Amino acid sequence: MTNCTITSDEINYLIYRYLVESGFKHTSFMFQHETHILQNSNIKTENVKPGALIHYLQKGLLYTEVEYHANEDGTEKHCIAPFSLLTPHHCKTEEDDDDKDNNDTDYSINTSLNNKLSNNKRNRKERKSDIKRERKSDKRIKKDNDESTKDSLNESEDIEVDIENSNNEQETNLISQKDIVNFVGNDTSVYVCSWNPVEPLLATGSKGTASIWTVPESPNDPIKPPIILDHKQDNKEVPDVTSIEWNPSGTLLATGAYDGLARIWNKSGQLVHVLKKHTLPIFSLKWNFDGNLFLTASVDKTVVIWDSRMGEFRQQYSFHSGIYLNNIHRPVMDVDWKDNTTFASCSTDKQILVCQLGSLKPLKRFIGHEDEVNIIKWDPESSLLASCSDDRTACVWSLDQDDPICTLKEHKKEIYTIKWCPNSTKTKILATASFDCTIKLWDVMNNICLYTLRDHNEAVYSVSFSPNGLYLASGSFDQHLNVWSVETGTLMKTYIGESGIFETSYNKKGDKIAVCFANCEH
């Protein structure tokens, strides 16, 4: 038998990967900061598959179950008691059930036994199904990279045709492989992407690098090698690229990274400015409407406004630094512009602030969420601000009042992201995506849930509306990209990738969708 040694560093790295893949950005940062796991040269990470921690836990649990239910002669003990990772196991056989209920009527005996047998079979079936999915996933991940899915791009004309088919035939159509363009990058997960608003260029960010891809007109056209934007500084560790966005004119690309630096590149891949003011990782980055300023939000609890032309900071805001708990940093999670000089920020301190360039204090402070605020978005008219939180709610705020104008409460788990529907003429529609595997479309002015979109079976990390507001794309860690009808809530198109999805994004024309996958593919 081979000698199997498991180190604490290996366990720490699997936990770190689980936190990253589950979307716990600040928790994963603090964990790796304290364990120094990314600085450990003995840890080989290139072959670690997505979902590795759950995979090994499932195998360990299966082995433990087999060990519990093996008799001394090697035969299997037919136990009908449920087996759990967290509770002690006490075997129970069908004979035990018969003895216990011997004084009941035949009807009650049969009913009770049948229910337990049914539940036991269902539990076993679910466990086998989980193991089967893991094995299939392992086989898929071992495929050659050229056969894997990177950025999923589909023509809107095909979607429109299939919408008619779906409405008439009540069936969902898979996006054909012929409509897919695969961009093969490096060997790390792709976290973020941004479409150039003017040219057919797509920027993607991953560990240590960003790439600029030229998107072919047709999936059959050859793919040019990407322009690589190297983020390594001196002899320091290569940082993850956490945020990326083109300016409105499509001439400059801004990136934010785990090293706390913001960088500005031109579309040819030349580094224009390196901007240093933050002391900890950058989580969010946004250009204003004119493209002369952009915002960065950091784990260091501050927001910075940068002048993109001069490569200098204009103002640093530290209004989220007041609440501090157990010596843990309270990161600013997201920022969004209201206009060219006014913006909102949200934090794990449960607060939302509206600030303005030149002002030394916030214009407005919204307090109402009971847990960390993850994302904020101004509506297309910049009159209402939406927010979502780990408290399982989304709120819509107006500068005219302190309390939210509505609180959306129907999700069962944390709400990870939100998006406003563009070009909505009848009402203001907000999409919320949650760890409860659902997306909800809301009529916010009437505080009504229009549709609950239920096809995903794992956490939904990203949603993106088409520019005309007719369709919604959603990406989940169940490997599925789904395209929905906003008008009817119907699932129109599905693409099944090779791993979990971090981000989905429609281009400006609405004829393509970019998808970032966790298995180093996009």
Side-chain angles (χ1 to χ4, degrees):
M1 179 180 292
T2 59
N3 185 21
C4 179
T5 302
I6 301 175
T7 68
S8 59
D9 285 338
E10 290 173 323
I11 298 298
N12 284 339
Y13 181 76
L14 291 178
I15 295 172
Y16 167 72
R17 278 288 294 269
Y18 168 78
L19 293 173
V20 171
E21 292 168 2
S22 298
F24 302 116
K25 293 182 179 179
H26 58 282
T27 305
S28 62
F29 167 74
M30 295 305 300
F31 186 81
Q32 66 89 11
H33 180 71
E34 292 198 11
T35 60
H36 302 286
I37 195 65
L38 297 184
Q39 288 81 28
N40 190 333
S41 59
N42 294 323
I43 298 296
K44 307 299 181 184
T45 64
E46 58 271 12
N47 294 322
V48 178
K49 305 177 183 68
L53 180 63
I54 302 300
H55 173 72
Y56 292 129
L57 282 174
Q58 286 177 330
K59 284 192 172 182
L61 185 63
L62 178 63
Y63 176 84
T64 304
E65 183 183 8
V66 171
E67 188 178 41
Y68 261 102
H69 297 146
N71 295 312
E72 292 184 0
D73 60 358
T75 59
E76 181 184 0
K77 185 186 300 181
H78 297 289
C79 172
I80 64 173
F83 200 86
S84 170
L85 184 66
L86 301 179
T87 58
H89 181 70
H90 302 287
C91 284
K92 183 183 294 184
T93 65
E94 298 174 15
E95 290 78 10
D96 294 334
D97 251 26
D98 288 339
D99 292 339
K100 180 179 177 181
D101 298 328
N102 199 29
N103 294 327
D104 294 337
T105 63
D106 290 341
Y107 173 81
S108 63
I109 291 176
N110 291 336
T111 302
S112 175
L113 183 58
N114 286 339
N115 285 341
K116 290 177 181 178
L117 286 172
S118 176
N119 289 336
N120 184 55
K121 289 178 181 178
R122 186 162 55 250
N123 290 336
R124 289 176 182 269
K125 184 177 181 180
E126 288 173 356
R127 286 196 294 272
K128 289 179 181 178
S129 178
D130 289 339
I131 296 167
K132 187 175 181 181
R133 282 199 299 270
E134 286 291 339
R135 288 175 178 169
K136 285 185 177 180
S137 178
D138 290 346
K139 291 179 181 179
R140 285 197 301 268
I141 292 172
K142 290 177 183 178
K143 287 183 180 179
D144 193 46
N145 279 344
D146 289 340
E147 298 175 4
S148 302
T149 303
K150 308 302 190 278
D151 271 12
S152 301
L153 304 141
N154 54 278
E155 299 299 317
S156 63
E157 291 82 6
D158 292 337
I159 294 177
E160 290 170 359
V161 170
D162 289 327
I163 285 174
E164 293 183 5
N165 291 339
S166 180
N167 288 336
N168 295 333
E169 301 172 13
Q170 296 297 313
E171 63 178 18
T172 300
N173 294 288
L174 290 176
I175 296 175
S176 171
Q177 188 65 38
K178 67 180 179 62
D179 294 325
I180 305 300
V181 175
N182 297 332
F183 291 142
V184 183
N186 54 26
D187 59 353
T188 61
S189 298
V190 183
Y191 303 127
V192 289
C193 64
S194 177
W195 286 99
N196 187 294
V198 178
E199 301 183 46
L201 301 175
L202 179 70
T204 60
S206 56
K207 182 176 178 60
T209 186
S211 303
I212 299 176
W213 303 84
T214 299
V215 180
E217 293 185 5
S218 167
N220 296 322
D221 294 341
I223 300 174
K224 296 180 181 179
I227 299 172
I228 303 299
L229 312 179
D230 188 5
H231 283 64
K232 187 174 182 179
Q233 288 283 317
D234 302 324
N235 294 321
K236 297 181 181 179
E237 178 196 353
V238 179
D240 289 358
V241 177
T242 58
S243 49
I244 191 167
E245 188 171 90
W246 290 97
N247 68 347
S249 63
T251 57
L252 296 175
L253 179 71
T255 60
Y258 248 57
D259 58 7
L261 299 178
R263 297 168 174 86
I264 299 179
W265 317 76
N266 63 24
K267 61 183 180 181
S268 299
Q270 296 175 318
L271 184 60
V272 179
H273 295 297
V274 177
L275 310 174
K276 185 174 183 180
K277 193 66 177 176
H278 292 296
T279 58
L280 289 172
I282 293 172
F283 274 179
S284 181
L285 180 153
K286 299 285 174 61
W287 289 90
N288 72 349
F289 302 110
D290 285 346
N292 61 322
L293 302 173
F294 70 93
L295 292 164
T296 52
S298 170
V299 178
D300 66 11
K301 301 168 291 182
T302 71
V303 176
V304 174
I305 292 183
W306 302 93
D307 186 320
S308 62
R309 297 167 185 164
M310 303 300 295
E312 299 174 349
F313 86 97
R314 294 283 295 274
Q315 191 169 346
Q316 188 170 25
Y317 304 80
S318 56
F319 303 134
H320 284 289
S321 61
I323 296 180
Y324 207 67
L325 180 64
N326 297 330
N327 205 33
I328 296 176
H329 288 284
R330 290 310 208 182
V332 182
M333 298 297 289
D334 195 23
V335 286
D336 198 30
W337 291 97
K338 183 182 188 297
D339 53 44
N340 281 311
T341 59
T342 309
F343 68 91
S345 62
C346 66
S347 168
T348 59
D349 66 5
K350 310 175 188 178
Q351 298 184 85
I352 302 163
L353 305 178
V354 180
C355 305
Q356 192 170 49
L357 179 63
S359 177
L360 299 180
K361 61 181 182 179
L363 303 180
K364 194 77 173 180
R365 189 184 300 268
F366 293 124
I367 300 175
H369 282 295
E370 298 178 357
D371 209 330
E372 303 175 0
V373 184
N374 296 318
I375 299 290
I376 49 175
K377 298 288 182 188
W378 290 100
D379 76 327
E381 289 77 33
S382 294
S383 59
L384 300 176
L385 180 67
S387 61
C388 66
S389 167
D390 281 358
D391 67 7
R392 307 180 183 184
T393 72
C395 293
V396 179
W397 312 83
S398 168
L399 291 178
D400 297 331
Q401 61 186 62
D402 293 333
D403 296 328
I405 65 171
C406 68
T407 301
L408 314 175
K409 297 182 177 181
E410 293 186 15
H411 280 291
K412 305 301 182 185
K413 292 185 178 180
E414 299 93 327
I415 302 177
Y416 188 77
T417 192
I418 51 178
K419 285 286 175 64
W420 289 98
C421 180
N423 299 324
S424 181
T425 57
K426 296 180 181 179
T427 184
K428 290 182 180 293
I429 296 176
L430 181 72
T432 57
S434 170
F435 282 4
D436 66 10
C437 312
T438 70
I439 307 108
K440 292 181 182 290
L441 297 179
W442 303 85
D443 173 353
V444 300
M445 303 310 295
N446 295 302
N447 199 358
I448 296 172
C449 181
L450 301 173
Y451 301 107
T452 298
L453 314 181
R454 300 183 182 276
D455 188 69
H456 292 294
N457 55 41
E458 289 194 35
V460 182
Y461 281 87
S462 179
V463 288
S464 176
F465 281 100
S466 61
N468 59 14
L470 296 178
Y471 305 108
L472 177 75
S474 62
S476 165
F477 241 60
D478 64 4
Q479 308 177 6
H480 285 63
L481 164 72
N482 287 337
V483 179
W484 311 82
S485 165
V486 175
E487 183 179 2
T488 64
T490 306
L491 178 59
M492 314 308 300
K493 285 274 192 176
T494 293
Y495 180 77
I496 304 174
E498 299 291 332
S499 68
I501 295 172
F502 281 124
E503 186 165 4
T504 63
S505 179
Y506 268 98
N507 67 345
K508 191 172 183 178
K509 291 175 61 178
D511 62 348
K512 294 178 174 63
I513 307 171
V515 185
C516 298
F517 287 95
N519 67 340
C520 322
E521 304 173 351
H522 55 286

